[in-house]
Amino acid sequence: MSKITRQGVLDVLNEVGTAFLHTARYGARTLQRMSWPALLLVCVLMAMILTLLPLALLLFTAFLLLKLAVGACILERHHKARPPEHHS
């Protein structure tokens, strides 16, 4: 296993920055070539994704926590109602 050096970290950060710039330039060129209706459609789709995805994740976690809480209450009630078992 190689040691992590300052130069190695800087090289990785430089490579990430370069890749980000290339991606941004590609995106800018693609947006310049798009027609207005296509650009409008892309903007609407991006807005829907950016609003609906976090909402879906929030609802998923909320219902998951609700399910776990209800399950814990039912298990606790079931455990209290059950008579203790005697081992011989």
Side-chain angles (χ1 to χ4, degrees):
M1 190 163 117
S2 62
K3 287 187 174 182
I4 297 174
T5 62
R6 179 186 237 192
Q7 187 59 42
V9 172
L10 290 175
D11 289 342
V12 169
L13 290 176
N14 189 18
E15 188 174 342
V16 167
T18 304
F20 178 76
L21 284 175
H22 284 294
T23 305
R25 287 182 187 134
Y26 175 77
R29 284 193 306 269
T30 303
L31 287 176
Q32 286 176 348
R33 282 186 256 134
M34 292 178 95
S35 66
W36 283 105
L39 190 60
L40 178 65
L41 181 66
V42 167
C43 289
V44 169
L45 289 175
M46 289 285 292
M48 290 176 75
I49 289 170
L50 290 175
T51 56
L52 293 179
L53 187 64
L55 178 65
L57 290 173
L58 178 75
L59 289 173
F60 172 75
T61 54
F63 284 120
L64 181 66
L65 291 174
L66 179 68
K67 177 182 175 183
L68 290 174
V70 168
C73 291
I74 290 174
L75 282 177
E76 182 180 345
R77 191 178 322 142
H78 178 68
H79 184 66
K80 284 182 181 178
R82 197 161 112 206
E85 296 178 8
H86 296 291
H87 297 287
S88 338

